[in-house]
Amino acid sequence: MIPQQQSDFDHNYLKPYYGKLFPFADIFKWMTYGHDGKHPGCDQSYFGRREFSFTLKGDFYLRFQSFNNALELENSIKEKCPLKIDIGPVYTVDPAKRHAYAQGDNNVFAPVERELIFDIDMTDYDDVRYCCRGADVCLNCWPLMTIAIKVIDASLRDDFGFNHILWVYSGRRGVHCWVCDGKARRLTNEQRASIADYYRVYKGNENSHKKVSLMGAALHPFLATSYTNVLKDYFEKILLTSQNLLATEERYEKILSMIPDESIASELRGKWQDSRRSSSAKEDINVVRWEQCKQLLQSGKHKAQGLRRCVEEIVFFFTYPRLDMEVSKHMNHLLKAPFCVHPKTGRVCVPIDPNQCDDFDPTTVPTLFQLLEELNNEGSRADVNGAEWNGTSLGNAIALFRTSFLEPLQKACKEEIERSYNLKLQQSKNSVGW
C-alpha cells in the first residue's frame, strides 16, 4: 500500500503559481463556449454572466464573482490568491449585479446554463474499503474511482450521446465530471435529476442488509454492460484481493448478510470458519471463498432468480459508482475548477484521460511545492509561447486538457453558433416574406 503523501501547503506559494502556471486563457476559452469571437452570432455577455466563487485564506467566501473578459478573471485571481476557485452556472444577468434585479416582481436572476456535473468522493466507499478511511486514499482503493470513470463515461457517451466530457482529479479523495455539450448545459433541473436517478443503484445504509437494488427479471442493458465490461473483472481481479474482502470473519459476514437464503449463508459460514479446508498455500483465500460463494448461489439447485442475482448484487455493492446525487440534480451547484490546488494535499486538480484512467496515479500528481521547485530549476525559462508550465510536471496535464477536451469542444461550439445564427437568419427572411 502506498498512502497518499501529504504535502506542505503554504498560501504564499499560490502567488507564483497563479502568476506563472495557472492556465487562465484555457479556462476562459472553455467557459466562453465559442462566444469569445467577432462572429455576429456570438453572445458577448455570455462569459460575464458566469458565476465564479473564491474561498480565501481564513475561510472567507466570495460568491457571485463575475468578469467581462480573461484579463479581469486573471487579475482578480492573482490579486486575491484564492485557496479554491469554484465555478457556478451562467445566469440570466451578471451575477455581481443581481441585487439590481431583485426589486421587481419577476425573478429575473436565475440560472440558464450549467454543465451537467458529477462529484464522486471516496468517503462514500468507506464501507467497502479496508485500506483507508475518510479522506485518505491509496493505490489499493483508487481503482474504485477508476471504475466510476469507466462506467459513467461510457454511459454518458453511449446512452446519452454526450461527447465533450472532462474528468478531473479533485486533488485529494475523488473525481469530478463536467459534461459540456450544449444539450447538457441546457438541461433543466428535472432532466438533470432524471439522469442522476438513471445511475442510482446503491440504496443501502449501515442498518440495512439489502445494500443494492437491482430491479426486474433481467438487468437493465446499461447495468448489464457495466457488470460485464467493468465491475466483474475489477471485483474479482483487483478488489477482492487488494481489499481482502473475504479474509476475516468480520468481512465475510458482511457478504453473507447479503444472501437472503440463510441455509446457503450458514453452509458458507461453516466452510469459511474452518480455514484449513477453505484455503490452500497456492490460492488466495479471498478468491477461493468467492468461488465457493458463486458456486453455491449459481448452482442448479438454487435456480431462484433472487439467489442467482445475489452474486451480481454483491459485486455492485462493492464496485458500482456512488454519486453525490444533489450535485448533479441542481443547476446552481458549485464545483471546484480544474487546476486549483488542494490546500490539504497541495496537489493540483489535474484532468484525467478516461481512456487511460487505469494508469492514473493520485500519489504522483504534481504538488504546488514540487511545481515551484521545478520553476526555480528551470530558471523561469519560458518557451516561445510564454508558457512556463511547459517545463514543469504540469505541462502534460495542460496539454491533455487542450488536445483531448478544449480544442474539440471549441470546434463544436463554433459550429453550433454558426448553425444557430444561420437558422435565425433564415427564420427572419421567412417572417418578412410574402
Side-chain angles (χ1 to χ4, degrees):
M1 183 174 76
I2 305 175
Q4 183 168 311
Q5 296 296 314
Q6 297 288 314
S7 297
D8 292 333
F9 177 85
D10 188 330
H11 177 261
N12 294 318
Y13 293 165
L14 285 174
K15 192 172 185 64
Y17 175 73
Y18 287 132
K20 297 180 180 294
L21 296 177
F22 190 82
F24 293 102
D26 296 275
I27 297 296
F28 174 75
K29 287 178 183 177
W30 170 29
M31 288 286 106
T32 54
Y33 289 103
H35 292 288
D36 57 343
K38 296 182 179 180
H39 189 284
C42 287
D43 180 355
Q44 301 298 335
S45 74
Y46 185 89
F47 181 74
R49 292 184 283 116
R50 169 76 72 166
E51 177 190 1
F52 291 85
S53 293
F54 298 158
T55 303
L56 307 183
K57 188 177 181 181
D59 282 338
F60 292 106
Y61 194 46
L62 301 179
R63 279 204 66 176
F64 302 111
Q65 306 294 295
S66 64
F67 310 96
N68 292 316
N69 51 55
L71 185 60
E72 282 189 12
L73 172 68
E74 180 174 348
N75 288 342
S76 181
I77 290 176
K78 286 180 176 178
E79 176 195 350
K80 295 180 173 65
C81 279
L83 294 173
K84 187 173 71 154
I85 304 165
D86 283 305
I87 298 174
V90 176
Y91 285 93
T92 46
V93 296
D94 181 346
K97 300 174 182 177
R98 66 197 181 281
H99 295 304
Y101 299 91
Q103 309 303 321
D105 294 332
N106 296 325
N107 184 17
V108 178
F109 181 66
V112 290
E113 272 196 28
R114 208 279 182 268
E115 296 77 11
L116 175 63
I117 56 177
F118 297 93
D119 184 3
I120 308 171
D121 197 318
M122 190 69 86
T123 55
D124 291 327
Y125 293 80
D126 276 354
D127 57 344
V128 296
R129 61 179 183 142
Y130 298 106
C131 50
C132 304
R133 303 289 292 176
D136 295 329
V137 173
C138 75
L139 295 184
N140 283 334
C141 55
W142 187 257
L144 291 164
M145 294 294 105
T146 304
I147 292 168
I149 293 172
K150 284 177 175 284
V151 168
I152 302 299
D153 189 81
S155 173
L156 287 170
R157 296 177 194 276
D158 297 341
D159 299 342
F160 293 99
F162 297 129
N163 296 306
H164 304 287
I165 303 168
L166 175 67
W167 288 94
V168 182
Y169 172 50
S170 72
R172 191 179 193 186
R173 62 192 181 199
V175 294
H176 299 154
C177 176
W178 303 73
V179 187
C180 301
D181 300 61
K183 60 182 179 180
R185 304 197 310 271
R186 292 185 281 271
L187 291 169
T188 65
N189 283 342
E190 291 75 20
Q191 291 167 332
R192 292 165 195 267
S194 295
I195 292 176
D197 286 336
Y198 180 78
Y199 295 118
R200 188 179 182 87
V201 166
Y202 176 72
K203 301 178 184 293
N205 57 54
E206 288 297 328
N207 301 317
S208 64
H209 292 307
K210 185 93 167 168
K211 304 287 187 179
V212 168
S213 178
L214 301 178
M215 307 301 290
L219 283 179
H220 183 283
F222 155 61
L223 298 180
T225 301
S226 300
Y227 181 80
T228 302
N229 293 351
V230 182
L231 306 183
K232 184 175 181 290
D233 277 355
Y234 270 84
F235 178 82
E236 295 186 342
K237 296 178 181 179
I238 297 178
L239 296 173
L240 196 60
T241 53
S242 70
Q243 295 296 324
N244 285 308
L245 296 180
L246 290 163
T248 67
E249 182 175 358
E250 179 185 2
R251 295 182 187 183
Y252 68 61
E253 281 294 341
K254 178 180 288 188
I255 290 180
L256 292 179
S257 71
M258 300 181 204
I259 300 174
D261 190 310
E262 182 52 42
S263 64
I264 294 179
S266 181
E267 184 176 344
L268 288 170
R269 185 179 293 108
K271 288 183 178 183
W272 297 348
Q273 283 176 342
D274 187 349
S275 60
R276 288 171 299 179
R277 284 188 292 173
S278 62
S279 65
S280 67
K282 294 183 179 180
E283 293 186 277
D284 185 277
I285 192 172
N286 299 283
V287 175
V288 171
R289 289 176 172 175
W290 177 242
E291 289 302 318
Q292 291 171 340
C293 181
K294 283 200 300 182
Q295 185 177 0
L296 265 183
L297 288 171
Q298 296 179 332
S299 64
K301 63 179 181 179
H302 300 299
K303 289 185 178 180
Q305 182 65 39
L307 290 182
R308 296 182 64 83
R309 178 61 54 81
C310 192
V311 170
E312 296 167 346
E313 290 183 342
I314 292 170
V315 172
F316 269 84
F317 169 64
F318 280 94
T319 61
Y320 186 78
R322 301 181 178 188
L323 308 178
D324 185 335
M325 292 291 175
E326 295 307 309
V327 170
S328 303
K329 289 180 178 181
H330 302 294
M331 236 181 174
N332 60 356
H333 205 288
L334 299 168
L335 192 63
K336 182 165 52 178
F339 300 105
C340 284
V341 179
H342 197 291
K344 298 293 185 183
T345 63
R347 298 198 185 279
V348 181
C349 303
V350 295
I352 300 173
D353 184 350
N355 297 315
Q356 304 291 331
C357 59
D358 280 305
D359 300 326
F360 182 80
D361 183 347
T363 68
T364 62
V365 169
T367 65
L368 180 59
F369 182 72
Q370 173 190 341
L371 290 171
L372 297 187
E373 275 197 326
E374 291 170 354
L375 267 184
N376 290 333
N377 292 338
E378 285 287 315
S380 297
R381 177 183 60 82
D383 67 10
V384 292
N385 296 318
E388 296 187 72
W389 49 260
N390 202 47
T392 72
S393 302
L394 198 61
N396 289 338
I398 294 179
L400 172 66
F401 179 80
R402 287 181 175 177
T403 57
S404 69
F405 170 71
L406 184 57
E407 290 170 5
L409 174 65
Q410 279 190 295
K411 182 175 183 291
C413 288
K414 290 184 184 300
E415 290 172 353
E416 183 181 350
I417 289 172
E418 178 72 19
R419 283 194 305 270
S420 178
Y421 178 72
N422 289 336
L423 180 61
K424 287 179 181 177
L425 278 182
Q426 189 60 49
Q427 290 173 339
S428 177
K429 288 178 182 179
N430 293 341
S431 68
V432 298
W434 293 96

PDB file of all heavy atoms in Angstrom, residues 8 31 71 105 112 159 200 216 222 234 244 273 311 346 384:
ATOM      1  N   ASP A   8       3.395  19.847   2.316  1.00  0.00           N
ATOM      2  CA  ASP A   8       3.294  21.122   2.999  1.00  0.00           C
ATOM      3  C   ASP A   8       2.634  22.125   2.063  1.00  0.00           C
ATOM      4  O   ASP A   8       3.024  22.263   0.906  1.00  0.00           O
ATOM      5  CB  ASP A   8       4.682  21.616   3.406  1.00  0.00           C
ATOM      6  CG  ASP A   8       5.297  20.751   4.494  1.00  0.00           C
ATOM      7  OD1 ASP A   8       4.530  20.147   5.260  1.00  0.00           O
ATOM      8  OD2 ASP A   8       6.531  20.696   4.556  1.00  0.00           O
ATOM      9  N   MET A  31     -14.880  28.403 -20.730  1.00  0.00           N
ATOM     10  CA  MET A  31     -16.091  28.977 -20.148  1.00  0.00           C
ATOM     11  C   MET A  31     -16.870  29.871 -21.108  1.00  0.00           C
ATOM     12  O   MET A  31     -18.029  30.201 -20.854  1.00  0.00           O
ATOM     13  CB  MET A  31     -15.730  29.783 -18.891  1.00  0.00           C
ATOM     14  CG  MET A  31     -15.319  28.933 -17.693  1.00  0.00           C
ATOM     15  SD  MET A  31     -16.728  28.099 -16.927  1.00  0.00           S
ATOM     16  CE  MET A  31     -16.483  26.417 -17.483  1.00  0.00           C
ATOM     17  N   LEU A  71      -8.766  38.828 -18.916  1.00  0.00           N
ATOM     18  CA  LEU A  71      -7.835  39.644 -18.129  1.00  0.00           C
ATOM     19  C   LEU A  71      -8.418  40.001 -16.766  1.00  0.00           C
ATOM     20  O   LEU A  71      -7.702  39.979 -15.754  1.00  0.00           O
ATOM     21  CB  LEU A  71      -7.487  40.919 -18.905  1.00  0.00           C
ATOM     22  CG  LEU A  71      -6.423  41.822 -18.265  1.00  0.00           C
ATOM     23  CD1 LEU A  71      -5.106  41.055 -18.099  1.00  0.00           C
ATOM     24  CD2 LEU A  71      -6.209  43.079 -19.107  1.00  0.00           C
ATOM     25  N   ASP A 105     -41.021  42.231  -9.373  1.00  0.00           N
ATOM     26  CA  ASP A 105     -41.872  41.104  -9.002  1.00  0.00           C
ATOM     27  C   ASP A 105     -41.383  39.800  -9.622  1.00  0.00           C
ATOM     28  O   ASP A 105     -41.512  38.737  -9.040  1.00  0.00           O
ATOM     29  CB  ASP A 105     -43.321  41.376  -9.449  1.00  0.00           C
ATOM     30  CG  ASP A 105     -43.922  42.544  -8.699  1.00  0.00           C
ATOM     31  OD1 ASP A 105     -43.499  42.781  -7.552  1.00  0.00           O
ATOM     32  OD2 ASP A 105     -44.806  43.221  -9.268  1.00  0.00           O
ATOM     33  N   VAL A 112     -29.447  29.840 -16.266  1.00  0.00           N
ATOM     34  CA  VAL A 112     -29.961  29.428 -17.576  1.00  0.00           C
ATOM     35  C   VAL A 112     -29.094  28.348 -18.230  1.00  0.00           C
ATOM     36  O   VAL A 112     -29.559  27.626 -19.108  1.00  0.00           O
ATOM     37  CB  VAL A 112     -30.092  30.622 -18.534  1.00  0.00           C
ATOM     38  CG1 VAL A 112     -31.211  31.532 -18.087  1.00  0.00           C
ATOM     39  CG2 VAL A 112     -28.776  31.398 -18.646  1.00  0.00           C
ATOM     40  N   ASP A 159     -25.190   6.028 -23.938  1.00  0.00           N
ATOM     41  CA  ASP A 159     -26.616   6.081 -23.610  1.00  0.00           C
ATOM     42  C   ASP A 159     -27.235   7.460 -23.843  1.00  0.00           C
ATOM     43  O   ASP A 159     -28.422   7.565 -24.141  1.00  0.00           O
ATOM     44  CB  ASP A 159     -26.843   5.672 -22.153  1.00  0.00           C
ATOM     45  CG  ASP A 159     -26.383   4.246 -21.870  1.00  0.00           C
ATOM     46  OD1 ASP A 159     -26.216   3.482 -22.839  1.00  0.00           O
ATOM     47  OD2 ASP A 159     -26.188   3.899 -20.689  1.00  0.00           O
ATOM     48  N   ARG A 200     -28.684   5.618 -10.317  1.00  0.00           N
ATOM     49  CA  ARG A 200     -28.892   5.289  -8.898  1.00  0.00           C
ATOM     50  C   ARG A 200     -29.150   3.795  -8.719  1.00  0.00           C
ATOM     51  O   ARG A 200     -30.182   3.278  -9.128  1.00  0.00           O
ATOM     52  CB  ARG A 200     -30.064   6.092  -8.341  1.00  0.00           C
ATOM     53  CG  ARG A 200     -30.241   5.976  -6.837  1.00  0.00           C
ATOM     54  CD  ARG A 200     -31.422   6.836  -6.387  1.00  0.00           C
ATOM     55  NE  ARG A 200     -31.610   6.804  -4.957  1.00  0.00           N
ATOM     56  CZ  ARG A 200     -30.996   7.608  -4.098  1.00  0.00           C
ATOM     57  NH1 ARG A 200     -30.156   8.504  -4.557  1.00  0.00           N
ATOM     58  NH2 ARG A 200     -31.210   7.523  -2.806  1.00  0.00           N
ATOM     59  N   GLY A 216     -36.197  -5.899 -11.579  1.00  0.00           N
ATOM     60  CA  GLY A 216     -36.579  -6.554 -12.827  1.00  0.00           C
ATOM     61  C   GLY A 216     -36.031  -7.959 -12.972  1.00  0.00           C
ATOM     62  O   GLY A 216     -35.114  -8.375 -12.270  1.00  0.00           O
ATOM     63  N   PHE A 222     -27.762  -1.058 -19.540  1.00  0.00           N
ATOM     64  CA  PHE A 222     -26.627  -0.272 -19.047  1.00  0.00           C
ATOM     65  C   PHE A 222     -25.927  -0.983 -17.893  1.00  0.00           C
ATOM     66  O   PHE A 222     -24.699  -1.079 -17.837  1.00  0.00           O
ATOM     67  CB  PHE A 222     -27.098   1.116 -18.607  1.00  0.00           C
ATOM     68  CG  PHE A 222     -26.215   1.778 -17.591  1.00  0.00           C
ATOM     69  CD1 PHE A 222     -24.891   2.065 -17.877  1.00  0.00           C
ATOM     70  CD2 PHE A 222     -26.702   2.097 -16.324  1.00  0.00           C
ATOM     71  CE1 PHE A 222     -24.070   2.672 -16.927  1.00  0.00           C
ATOM     72  CE2 PHE A 222     -25.893   2.698 -15.384  1.00  0.00           C
ATOM     73  CZ  PHE A 222     -24.575   2.988 -15.683  1.00  0.00           C
ATOM     74  N   TYR A 234     -13.005  -6.024 -12.228  1.00  0.00           N
ATOM     75  CA  TYR A 234     -12.343  -5.241 -11.181  1.00  0.00           C
ATOM     76  C   TYR A 234     -12.567  -5.862  -9.802  1.00  0.00           C
ATOM     77  O   TYR A 234     -11.673  -5.863  -8.951  1.00  0.00           O
ATOM     78  CB  TYR A 234     -12.830  -3.787 -11.191  1.00  0.00           C
ATOM     79  CG  TYR A 234     -12.011  -2.900 -12.087  1.00  0.00           C
ATOM     80  CD1 TYR A 234     -12.276  -2.828 -13.450  1.00  0.00           C
ATOM     81  CD2 TYR A 234     -10.949  -2.156 -11.590  1.00  0.00           C
ATOM     82  CE1 TYR A 234     -11.521  -2.031 -14.285  1.00  0.00           C
ATOM     83  CE2 TYR A 234     -10.188  -1.352 -12.406  1.00  0.00           C
ATOM     84  CZ  TYR A 234     -10.482  -1.295 -13.766  1.00  0.00           C
ATOM     85  OH  TYR A 234      -9.718  -0.505 -14.585  1.00  0.00           O
ATOM     86  N   ASN A 244      -8.890  -7.589   0.532  1.00  0.00           N
ATOM     87  CA  ASN A 244      -9.094  -8.782   1.379  1.00  0.00           C
ATOM     88  C   ASN A 244     -10.549  -8.879   1.851  1.00  0.00           C
ATOM     89  O   ASN A 244     -10.836  -8.964   3.043  1.00  0.00           O
ATOM     90  CB  ASN A 244      -8.151  -8.746   2.588  1.00  0.00           C
ATOM     91  CG  ASN A 244      -6.723  -9.092   2.205  1.00  0.00           C
ATOM     92  OD1 ASN A 244      -6.479 -10.125   1.576  1.00  0.00           O
ATOM     93  ND2 ASN A 244      -5.794  -8.230   2.548  1.00  0.00           N
ATOM     94  N   GLN A 273     -15.309 -20.924   8.295  1.00  0.00           N
ATOM     95  CA  GLN A 273     -14.814 -20.888   9.669  1.00  0.00           C
ATOM     96  C   GLN A 273     -13.673 -21.886   9.879  1.00  0.00           C
ATOM     97  O   GLN A 273     -12.867 -21.718  10.790  1.00  0.00           O
ATOM     98  CB  GLN A 273     -15.958 -21.155  10.650  1.00  0.00           C
ATOM     99  CG  GLN A 273     -16.867 -19.940  10.831  1.00  0.00           C
ATOM    100  CD  GLN A 273     -18.058 -20.214  11.727  1.00  0.00           C
ATOM    101  OE1 GLN A 273     -18.414 -21.371  11.963  1.00  0.00           O
ATOM    102  NE2 GLN A 273     -18.693 -19.151  12.213  1.00  0.00           N
ATOM    103  N   VAL A 311     -25.241 -12.754  -6.587  1.00  0.00           N
ATOM    104  CA  VAL A 311     -23.832 -12.579  -6.949  1.00  0.00           C
ATOM    105  C   VAL A 311     -23.622 -11.194  -7.557  1.00  0.00           C
ATOM    106  O   VAL A 311     -22.683 -10.470  -7.203  1.00  0.00           O
ATOM    107  CB  VAL A 311     -23.373 -13.681  -7.936  1.00  0.00           C
ATOM    108  CG1 VAL A 311     -21.989 -13.364  -8.490  1.00  0.00           C
ATOM    109  CG2 VAL A 311     -23.369 -15.035  -7.260  1.00  0.00           C
ATOM    110  N   GLY A 346      -1.879  19.844  -1.245  1.00  0.00           N
ATOM    111  CA  GLY A 346      -1.007  20.615  -2.113  1.00  0.00           C
ATOM    112  C   GLY A 346      -1.018  20.126  -3.546  1.00  0.00           C
ATOM    113  O   GLY A 346      -0.277  20.635  -4.389  1.00  0.00           O
ATOM    114  N   VAL A 384       8.529  29.472 -26.435  1.00  0.00           N
ATOM    115  CA  VAL A 384       8.198  30.538 -27.388  1.00  0.00           C
ATOM    116  C   VAL A 384       6.785  31.081 -27.180  1.00  0.00           C
ATOM    117  O   VAL A 384       6.477  32.202 -27.583  1.00  0.00           O
ATOM    118  CB  VAL A 384       8.351  30.016 -28.843  1.00  0.00           C
ATOM    119  CG1 VAL A 384       9.792  29.752 -29.154  1.00  0.00           C
ATOM    120  CG2 VAL A 384       7.507  28.769 -29.064  1.00  0.00           C
TER     121      VAL A 384
END
